[in-house]
Amino acid sequence: MVQFLAGLKGEGKTRKLIDMANQNAKVTDGHLVYIDDDKRHIHDLHRDIRFVEAGKGELANYREFIGFVLGILSQNSDIKHIYVDGLNNILAQDVVADDCLSKLKNRFDDLVKTADVAFTISIHCEKESLPEDIKAALV
């Protein structure tokens, strides 16, 4: 399953994502990963959630982000869910432009099947500006 949280700044996406991850940490048998652009929320997460700082805009585009995620998955085959907070801040590329989100979702849909991992990704944008396939995956 690939899910998205979308909305403008201050709408509570990060809090909702953290709450989802913390709830999942209480019931999952596998490992959870939380990717963010900085360490502001590291202490808000359950101690069993692996925190990964990706940096602000250090990844040029969605392809580099996919490679980044594949590197994380290659180190631990027990990862069951990856949470990404603020994909816009992690990538230098405009995530809504150039069908980026749809391409990312398609690749992650493949990983859901082959690696048995789920994704929940937050993005900063107006929900109306999203492609239909991403709107259908909104939480």
Side-chain angles (χ1 to χ4, degrees):
M1 145 184 79
V2 180
Q3 300 176 315
F4 291 88
L5 293 169
L8 299 176
K9 185 175 174 92
E11 291 186 7
K13 295 178 303 299
T14 295
R15 176 53 38 208
K16 184 173 182 178
L17 193 67
I18 289 170
D19 289 345
M20 291 170 72
N22 286 337
Q23 285 294 82
N24 196 3
K26 296 175 185 175
V27 297
T28 190
D29 289 334
H31 297 169
L32 306 177
V33 175
Y34 191 96
I35 301 172
D36 201 348
D37 66 322
D38 61 30
K39 293 182 180 180
R40 282 178 300 174
H41 302 290
I42 193 169
H43 298 293
D44 297 331
L45 294 168
H46 189 278
R47 68 181 185 284
D48 291 336
I49 298 172
R50 178 178 170 204
F51 183 88
V52 177
E53 183 180 5
K56 285 193 182 288
E58 292 184 12
L59 299 171
N61 54 46
Y62 78 94
R63 286 185 184 101
E64 286 187 12
F65 184 69
I66 291 169
F68 181 78
V69 169
L70 288 172
I72 292 170
L73 290 171
S74 73
Q75 298 298 311
N76 184 344
S77 61
D78 292 329
I79 295 173
K80 294 299 178 192
H81 205 121
I82 296 178
Y83 297 89
V84 181
D85 190 11
L87 184 62
N88 310 62
N89 296 334
I90 296 169
L91 300 184
Q93 177 183 31
D94 180 1
V95 297
V96 180
D98 301 327
D99 209 23
C100 168
L101 286 176
S102 295
K103 293 174 183 174
L104 181 74
K105 181 183 179 309
N106 288 340
R107 182 63 177 105
F108 283 174
D109 281 336
D110 292 341
L111 285 174
V112 167
K113 296 173 193 164
T114 60
D116 190 29
V117 62
F119 296 90
T120 304
I121 304 165
S122 78
I123 50 175
H124 309 294
C125 69
E126 294 182 9
K127 294 176 185 175
E128 297 77 29
S129 67
L130 294 170
E132 291 304 316
D133 61 329
I134 303 303
K135 286 180 185 176
L138 288 174
V139 179

